Amino acid sequence: MGERARVPRPAGRDEPHPRPELDRDDDPHRSDPGPLAGAPGCRRLVHPARDADRLALVWAYVRYGGTPTGEALLYGIEPVVITIVVLALVKLGRTAAKRSPLLVITGLASLVLYLVGVNELILLLGVGLVVLVVQAGSRLGPGAARTIAPLTSAPSCSRLSSRTGPRSCSGGCSSSSSSSAPLCTGAGMCSSPSSGVTWWIGWGGSRSTSWSTRLPSGSSRRAGVHSGEVHRVPRRRDHRGLLATAGIFLPAFVFVGLLSHWCR
Amino acid sequence: MRRSAWARDMLDGVNVGAVGLMAGVAWQLGRQAIVDVPTALFALGAAAVLLRFNLNSGWVVLAGGALGLLVTAVR
Protein backbone atom coordinates (compact mmCIF):
# COMPACT_ATOMS: atom_id res chain seq x y z
CA MET A 1 0.00 0.00 0.00
CA GLY A 2 1.10 3.53 -0.17
CA GLU A 3 2.81 3.10 -3.50
CA ARG A 4 2.11 5.62 -6.15
CA ALA A 5 0.35 2.96 -8.19
CA ARG A 6 -2.44 2.82 -5.61
CA VAL A 7 -4.30 5.66 -7.36
CA PRO A 8 -3.12 5.08 -10.91
CA ARG A 9 -2.60 8.16 -12.96
CA PRO A 10 -4.31 8.04 -16.33
CA ALA A 11 -1.97 7.68 -19.27
CA GLY A 12 -1.53 10.97 -21.06
CA ARG A 13 -2.58 11.13 -24.65
CA ASP A 14 0.66 12.82 -25.57
CA GLU A 15 2.82 10.59 -23.42
CA PRO A 16 5.87 9.85 -25.57
CA HIS A 17 6.64 6.53 -23.99
CA PRO A 18 3.53 4.69 -22.88
CA ARG A 19 4.01 2.64 -19.79
CA PRO A 20 4.68 -1.00 -20.63
CA GLU A 21 2.00 -3.43 -19.62
CA LEU A 22 3.10 -5.61 -16.76
CA ASP A 23 3.18 -9.27 -17.43
CA ARG A 24 0.40 -10.83 -15.36
CA ASP A 25 2.82 -13.11 -13.59
CA ASP A 26 5.15 -10.22 -12.73
CA ASP A 27 2.50 -7.86 -11.40
CA PRO A 28 2.90 -7.80 -7.59
CA HIS A 29 -0.59 -6.37 -7.11
CA ARG A 30 -2.28 -8.98 -9.27
CA SER A 31 -4.76 -11.26 -7.59
CA ASP A 32 -7.11 -13.77 -9.05
CA PRO A 33 -10.57 -12.37 -9.64
CA GLY A 34 -13.22 -13.43 -7.19
CA PRO A 35 -16.03 -15.80 -8.15
CA LEU A 36 -18.51 -12.92 -8.40
CA ALA A 37 -16.25 -10.48 -10.23
CA GLY A 38 -18.27 -8.62 -12.82
CA ALA A 39 -21.58 -9.95 -11.56
CA PRO A 40 -24.55 -7.57 -11.85
CA GLY A 41 -24.87 -7.29 -8.09
CA CYS A 42 -21.27 -6.20 -7.80
CA ARG A 43 -21.59 -3.61 -10.53
CA ARG A 44 -24.65 -2.15 -8.81
CA LEU A 45 -22.47 -1.03 -5.94
CA VAL A 46 -22.04 2.15 -8.01
CA HIS A 47 -25.39 3.67 -8.85
CA PRO A 48 -25.13 5.88 -11.97
CA ALA A 49 -27.86 8.36 -11.02
CA ARG A 50 -26.97 8.66 -7.36
CA ASP A 51 -23.24 9.02 -8.00
CA ALA A 52 -23.48 11.26 -11.08
CA ASP A 53 -21.34 14.05 -9.68
CA ARG A 54 -18.60 11.72 -8.56
CA LEU A 55 -18.75 9.81 -11.83
CA ALA A 56 -18.34 13.11 -13.69
CA LEU A 57 -15.26 13.91 -11.63
CA VAL A 58 -13.88 10.42 -12.22
CA TRP A 59 -14.50 10.76 -15.94
CA ALA A 60 -12.75 14.14 -16.03
CA TYR A 61 -9.83 12.71 -14.06
CA VAL A 62 -9.43 9.74 -16.36
CA ARG A 63 -9.97 11.78 -19.50
CA TYR A 64 -7.84 14.84 -18.70
CA GLY A 65 -5.81 13.90 -15.63
CA GLY A 66 -2.84 12.79 -17.72
CA THR A 67 -2.65 15.93 -19.83
CA PRO A 68 -0.16 18.66 -18.87
CA THR A 69 -2.99 21.00 -17.89
CA GLY A 70 -4.66 18.31 -15.78
CA GLU A 71 -1.41 17.48 -14.04
CA ALA A 72 -0.81 21.16 -13.29
CA LEU A 73 -4.29 21.44 -11.79
CA LEU A 74 -3.80 18.32 -9.68
CA TYR A 75 -0.41 19.61 -8.59
CA GLY A 76 -2.21 22.38 -6.74
CA ILE A 77 -5.41 20.56 -5.81
CA GLU A 78 -3.90 17.46 -4.19
CA PRO A 79 -2.17 19.17 -1.23
CA VAL A 80 -5.23 21.31 -0.60
CA VAL A 81 -7.53 18.29 -0.50
CA ILE A 82 -5.13 16.47 1.83
CA THR A 83 -5.16 19.51 4.10
CA ILE A 84 -8.96 19.55 4.17
CA VAL A 85 -9.04 15.86 5.07
CA VAL A 86 -6.44 16.31 7.81
CA LEU A 87 -8.35 19.23 9.34
CA ALA A 88 -11.53 17.14 9.37
CA LEU A 89 -9.65 14.30 11.04
CA VAL A 90 -8.32 16.67 13.69
CA LYS A 91 -11.87 17.73 14.49
CA LEU A 92 -12.97 14.11 14.75
CA GLY A 93 -9.98 13.30 16.92
CA ARG A 94 -10.78 16.15 19.29
CA THR A 95 -14.34 14.92 19.62
CA ALA A 96 -13.11 11.43 20.44
CA ALA A 97 -10.56 12.79 22.92
CA LYS A 98 -13.27 14.65 24.80
CA ARG A 99 -15.31 11.46 25.10
CA SER A 100 -12.63 9.07 26.27
CA PRO A 101 -8.83 8.80 26.25
CA LEU A 102 -9.30 5.15 25.39
CA LEU A 103 -10.74 6.14 22.02
CA VAL A 104 -7.69 8.27 21.25
CA ILE A 105 -5.35 5.42 22.12
CA THR A 106 -7.23 2.91 20.00
CA GLY A 107 -7.42 5.40 17.12
CA LEU A 108 -3.66 5.91 17.19
CA ALA A 109 -3.16 2.15 17.47
CA SER A 110 -5.37 1.55 14.44
CA LEU A 111 -3.38 4.18 12.51
CA VAL A 112 -0.09 2.46 13.32
CA LEU A 113 -1.46 -1.01 12.57
CA TYR A 114 -2.84 0.19 9.24
CA LEU A 115 0.53 1.64 8.27
CA VAL A 116 2.14 -1.66 9.29
CA GLY A 117 -0.19 -3.42 6.88
CA VAL A 118 -2.93 -5.05 8.91
CA ASN A 119 -6.10 -5.78 6.96
CA GLU A 120 -8.60 -2.94 7.29
CA LEU A 121 -11.61 -5.10 8.15
CA ILE A 122 -9.73 -7.08 10.77
CA LEU A 123 -8.47 -3.80 12.17
CA LEU A 124 -11.95 -2.29 12.45
CA LEU A 125 -13.38 -5.39 14.06
CA GLY A 126 -10.45 -5.71 16.44
CA VAL A 127 -10.59 -2.08 17.56
CA GLY A 128 -14.33 -2.35 18.09
CA LEU A 129 -13.91 -5.46 20.20
CA VAL A 130 -11.09 -3.91 22.25
CA VAL A 131 -13.18 -0.86 23.10
CA LEU A 132 -16.17 -3.11 23.85
CA VAL A 133 -14.18 -5.30 26.23
CA VAL A 134 -12.39 -2.44 28.00
CA GLN A 135 -15.55 -0.38 28.45
CA ALA A 136 -17.47 -3.41 29.66
CA GLY A 137 -14.67 -4.18 32.10
CA SER A 138 -14.74 -0.67 33.48
CA ARG A 139 -18.51 -0.88 33.86
CA LEU A 140 -18.64 -4.29 35.43
CA GLY A 141 -15.40 -4.26 37.41
CA PRO A 142 -15.18 -4.02 41.22
CA GLY A 143 -14.82 -0.25 41.22
CA ALA A 144 -18.04 0.12 39.29
CA ALA A 145 -20.17 -1.73 41.78
CA ARG A 146 -21.12 1.42 43.61
CA THR A 147 -22.44 3.12 40.51
CA ILE A 148 -24.18 0.21 38.88
CA ALA A 149 -26.96 -0.70 41.27
CA PRO A 150 -29.98 0.21 39.19
CA LEU A 151 -32.87 2.22 40.57
CA THR A 152 -31.26 2.69 43.95
CA SER A 153 -28.30 4.74 42.94
CA ALA A 154 -27.48 7.97 41.22
CA PRO A 155 -23.99 9.11 40.29
CA SER A 156 -21.72 9.67 43.21
CA CYS A 157 -21.18 13.23 44.35
CA SER A 158 -17.50 12.84 43.57
CA ARG A 159 -18.33 12.57 39.88
CA LEU A 160 -20.27 15.78 40.02
CA SER A 161 -17.96 17.95 42.08
CA SER A 162 -14.69 16.14 42.41
CA ARG A 163 -12.65 19.31 42.86
CA THR A 164 -14.79 21.08 45.37
CA GLY A 165 -13.56 19.55 48.58
CA PRO A 166 -15.84 18.09 51.23
CA ARG A 167 -19.34 17.25 50.16
CA SER A 168 -22.61 16.77 51.89
CA CYS A 169 -25.93 15.38 50.77
CA SER A 170 -29.40 16.53 51.68
CA GLY A 171 -32.99 15.87 50.67
CA GLY A 172 -33.43 12.31 49.44
CA CYS A 173 -29.71 12.00 49.07
CA SER A 174 -27.76 9.88 51.52
CA SER A 175 -24.05 9.36 51.74
CA SER A 176 -21.93 6.53 52.98
CA SER A 177 -19.79 7.92 55.75
CA SER A 178 -16.95 5.48 55.20
CA SER A 179 -16.30 6.74 51.75
CA SER A 180 -14.66 9.95 50.74
CA ALA A 181 -16.91 9.90 47.69
CA PRO A 182 -20.45 9.76 49.05
CA LEU A 183 -22.90 7.80 46.98
CA CYS A 184 -26.11 9.73 46.65
CA THR A 185 -29.17 7.54 46.62
CA GLY A 186 -32.43 8.76 45.28
CA ALA A 187 -33.08 12.34 44.29
CA GLY A 188 -31.93 15.33 46.23
CA MET A 189 -29.34 17.97 46.75
CA CYS A 190 -25.63 17.43 46.71
CA SER A 191 -23.75 20.48 47.86
CA SER A 192 -20.18 21.43 48.51
CA PRO A 193 -19.82 23.88 51.41
CA SER A 194 -16.37 25.04 50.41
CA SER A 195 -17.33 26.15 46.94
CA GLY A 196 -21.02 26.82 47.34
CA VAL A 197 -21.77 24.59 44.36
CA THR A 198 -25.07 22.79 44.60
CA TRP A 199 -26.24 19.92 42.44
CA TRP A 200 -29.66 18.42 42.13
CA ILE A 201 -29.36 14.82 41.19
CA GLY A 202 -31.72 11.95 40.59
CA TRP A 203 -32.77 9.53 37.92
CA GLY A 204 -34.97 9.92 34.91
CA GLY A 205 -37.62 7.73 33.40
CA SER A 206 -35.20 5.00 32.50
CA ARG A 207 -33.45 2.94 35.11
CA SER A 208 -30.24 3.26 33.17
CA THR A 209 -30.25 7.04 33.09
CA SER A 210 -29.63 9.45 35.88
CA TRP A 211 -29.34 13.18 35.69
CA SER A 212 -27.75 16.02 37.53
CA THR A 213 -28.23 19.74 37.29
CA ARG A 214 -25.94 22.40 38.64
CA LEU A 215 -28.05 24.96 40.49
CA PRO A 216 -27.29 28.64 40.85
CA SER A 217 -25.37 29.52 43.99
CA GLY A 218 -27.65 29.68 47.03
CA SER A 219 -30.54 28.01 45.22
CA SER A 220 -32.60 25.58 47.23
CA ARG A 221 -34.94 24.24 44.59
CA ARG A 222 -34.37 22.25 41.47
CA ALA A 223 -34.48 24.13 38.21
CA GLY A 224 -34.24 22.96 34.63
CA VAL A 225 -33.85 19.35 35.52
CA HIS A 226 -34.01 18.10 31.98
CA SER A 227 -31.48 20.61 30.72
CA GLY A 228 -28.91 19.27 33.13
CA GLU A 229 -25.99 17.03 32.52
CA VAL A 230 -27.10 13.47 31.92
CA HIS A 231 -25.09 10.59 33.27
CA ARG A 232 -25.76 7.10 32.14
CA VAL A 233 -25.64 4.46 34.80
CA PRO A 234 -25.31 1.18 32.94
CA ARG A 235 -27.52 -1.74 33.74
CA ARG A 236 -26.04 -4.59 35.62
CA ARG A 237 -27.05 -7.09 32.99
CA ASP A 238 -27.40 -6.41 29.31
CA HIS A 239 -27.13 -9.85 27.75
CA ARG A 240 -29.64 -9.01 25.06
CA GLY A 241 -27.61 -5.98 24.05
CA LEU A 242 -24.45 -8.06 23.88
CA LEU A 243 -26.14 -10.70 21.76
CA ALA A 244 -27.62 -8.06 19.46
CA THR A 245 -24.21 -6.43 19.11
CA ALA A 246 -22.53 -9.70 18.25
CA GLY A 247 -25.41 -10.70 15.99
CA ILE A 248 -25.20 -7.50 13.99
CA PHE A 249 -21.52 -6.65 13.86
CA LEU A 250 -19.98 -10.04 13.28
CA PRO A 251 -22.23 -10.99 10.33
CA ALA A 252 -21.79 -7.49 8.92
CA PHE A 253 -18.01 -7.80 8.98
CA VAL A 254 -18.10 -11.29 7.52
CA PHE A 255 -20.49 -10.14 4.79
CA VAL A 256 -18.40 -7.12 3.82
CA GLY A 257 -15.23 -9.19 3.91
CA LEU A 258 -16.66 -11.91 1.69
CA LEU A 259 -18.22 -9.36 -0.68
CA SER A 260 -14.98 -7.46 -1.10
CA HIS A 261 -13.16 -10.75 -1.64
CA TRP A 262 -15.60 -12.18 -4.16
CA CYS A 263 -16.22 -8.98 -6.11
CA ARG A 264 -12.64 -7.83 -6.46
CA MET B 1 -28.61 0.21 18.70
CA ARG B 2 -27.22 3.20 20.58
CA ARG B 3 -29.48 2.36 23.51
CA SER B 4 -27.49 -0.75 24.18
CA ALA B 5 -24.26 -0.11 26.05
CA TRP B 6 -22.55 -2.99 24.24
CA ALA B 7 -23.52 -1.77 20.78
CA ARG B 8 -22.59 1.79 21.72
CA ASP B 9 -19.11 0.72 22.79
CA MET B 10 -18.65 -1.38 19.68
CA LEU B 11 -19.78 1.50 17.47
CA ASP B 12 -17.42 3.87 19.27
CA GLY B 13 -14.56 1.48 18.62
CA VAL B 14 -15.41 0.98 14.96
CA ASN B 15 -15.81 4.73 14.50
CA VAL B 16 -12.47 5.55 16.03
CA GLY B 17 -10.87 2.73 14.05
CA ALA B 18 -12.28 4.24 10.87
CA VAL B 19 -10.81 7.61 11.84
CA GLY B 20 -7.45 5.92 12.33
CA LEU B 21 -7.72 4.29 8.91
CA MET B 22 -8.58 7.63 7.35
CA ALA B 23 -5.55 9.17 9.02
CA GLY B 24 -3.38 6.39 7.61
CA VAL B 25 -4.70 6.90 4.10
CA ALA B 26 -4.29 10.68 4.45
CA TRP B 27 -0.69 10.15 5.52
CA GLN B 28 0.03 7.95 2.51
CA LEU B 29 -1.69 10.26 0.04
CA GLY B 30 -0.06 13.28 1.65
CA ARG B 31 3.37 11.84 1.09
CA GLN B 32 2.51 11.50 -2.58
CA ALA B 33 0.88 14.93 -2.91
CA ILE B 34 3.29 17.10 -0.94
CA VAL B 35 6.53 16.56 -2.81
CA ASP B 36 8.25 19.94 -2.89
CA VAL B 37 8.23 23.42 -1.42
CA PRO B 38 5.32 24.83 -3.48
CA THR B 39 3.00 21.95 -2.59
CA ALA B 40 3.97 22.27 1.07
CA LEU B 41 3.16 25.98 0.87
CA PHE B 42 -0.18 25.16 -0.77
CA ALA B 43 -1.03 22.84 2.08
CA LEU B 44 0.01 25.30 4.78
CA GLY B 45 -1.80 28.17 3.08
CA ALA B 46 -4.97 26.13 2.72
CA ALA B 47 -4.82 25.18 6.39
CA ALA B 48 -4.32 28.81 7.40
CA VAL B 49 -7.18 30.03 5.23
CA LEU B 50 -9.56 27.32 6.42
CA LEU B 51 -8.73 27.86 10.07
CA ARG B 52 -8.70 31.66 9.95
CA PHE B 53 -11.57 32.48 7.62
CA ASN B 54 -13.72 29.36 7.77
CA LEU B 55 -14.08 29.51 4.00
CA ASN B 56 -16.00 26.99 1.94
CA SER B 57 -13.63 24.15 1.03
CA GLY B 58 -14.66 24.27 -2.62
CA TRP B 59 -13.21 27.73 -3.08
CA VAL B 60 -9.94 26.65 -1.50
CA VAL B 61 -9.74 23.67 -3.84
CA LEU B 62 -10.37 25.92 -6.84
CA ALA B 63 -7.72 28.34 -5.64
CA GLY B 64 -5.30 25.44 -5.24
CA GLY B 65 -5.94 24.36 -8.81
CA ALA B 66 -5.37 27.90 -10.10
CA LEU B 67 -2.15 28.21 -8.12
CA GLY B 68 -1.02 24.84 -9.45
CA LEU B 69 -1.55 26.05 -13.00
CA LEU B 70 0.28 29.28 -12.23
CA VAL B 71 3.30 27.62 -10.63
CA THR B 72 3.55 25.06 -13.42
CA ALA B 73 3.40 27.82 -16.04
CA VAL B 74 6.09 29.86 -14.30
CA ARG B 75 8.51 26.95 -13.92
Side-chain angles (χ1 to χ4, degrees):
Chain A
M1 294 182 191
E3 300 300 325
R4 188 144 190 106
R6 184 169 187 167
V7 182
R9 284 291 182 86
R13 284 177 297 173
D14 48 358
E15 199 171 20
H17 303 292
R19 296 169 208 156
E21 289 292 329
L22 278 173
D23 184 47
R24 283 183 64 84
D25 293 333
D26 295 337
D27 185 358
H29 300 291
R30 184 183 75 81
S31 57
D32 294 330
L36 296 180
C42 294
R43 285 200 296 263
R44 298 279 290 198
L45 292 175
V46 177
H47 195 283
R50 188 186 58 204
D51 302 325
D53 51 348
R54 274 161 285 177
L55 286 175
L57 285 174
V58 168
W59 175 81
Y61 177 75
V62 172
R63 180 76 174 80
Y64 300 109
T67 64
T69 306
E71 287 190 344
L73 267 173
L74 292 171
Y75 177 77
I77 287 176
E78 281 178 352
V80 173
V81 171
I82 294 298
T83 302
I84 293 170
V85 172
V86 169
L87 290 178
L89 287 172
V90 168
K91 282 184 182 175
L92 286 171
R94 279 183 180 169
T95 307
K98 284 177 184 172
R99 292 191 62 190
S100 168
L102 169 68
L103 296 180
V104 178
I105 295 169
T106 50
L108 290 175
S110 63
L111 166 63
V112 171
L113 289 173
Y114 171 73
L115 293 178
V116 166
V118 176
N119 180 276
E120 293 88 346
L121 278 176
I122 294 174
L123 193 57
L124 281 176
L125 183 61
V127 169
L129 287 175
V130 165
V131 173
L132 176 75
V133 169
V134 173
Q135 298 280 49
S138 67
R139 276 200 314 269
L140 303 177
R146 290 186 309 171
T147 58
I148 282 181
L151 192 60
T152 58
S153 70
S156 66
C157 291
S158 61
R159 282 173 56 187
L160 305 179
S161 54
S162 57
R163 290 170 297 176
T164 54
R167 291 165 290 273
S168 65
C169 295
S170 61
C173 217
S174 63
S175 66
S176 56
S177 57
S178 61
S179 170
S180 59
L183 182 69
C184 296
T185 305
M189 311 294 291
C190 178
S191 61
S192 170
S194 60
S195 66
V197 175
T198 303
W199 299 85
W200 176 270
I201 66 172
W203 54 78
S206 165
R207 290 184 182 186
S208 63
T209 303
S210 60
W211 43 259
S212 62
T213 301
R214 181 174 180 157
L215 300 178
S217 181
S219 175
S220 60
R221 61 184 179 84
R222 74 181 197 182
V225 166
H226 296 293
S227 63
E229 185 182 356
V230 173
H231 298 268
R232 293 201 173 275
V233 179
R235 294 165 194 247
R236 193 197 303 265
R237 293 181 178 179
D238 191 13
H239 294 320
R240 283 192 301 178
L242 179 60
L243 287 176
T245 303
I248 291 172
F249 278 98
L250 290 179
F253 273 97
V254 170
F255 176 73
V256 172
L258 290 176
L259 198 65
S260 61
H261 179 72
W262 287 337
C263 293
R264 71 176 187 265
Chain B
M1 286 179 64
R2 279 270 167 191
R3 296 183 65 180
S4 164
W6 298 100
R8 195 168 56 240
D9 293 341
M10 185 80 186
L11 273 176
D12 284 344
V14 172
N15 283 341
V16 81
V19 172
L21 290 181
M22 283 189 275
V25 174
W27 167 256
Q28 290 177 338
L29 293 179
R31 286 180 61 190
Q32 298 169 15
I34 302 173
V35 290
D36 51 14
V37 174
T39 49
L41 289 178
F42 291 166
L44 288 175
V49 167
L50 288 170
L51 291 174
R52 175 69 181 83
F53 300 106
N54 202 18
L55 209 62
N56 187 307
S57 305
W59 297 113
V60 184
V61 171
L62 282 178
L67 283 173
L69 281 174
L70 188 67
V71 169
T72 308
V74 168
R75 284 196 305 189

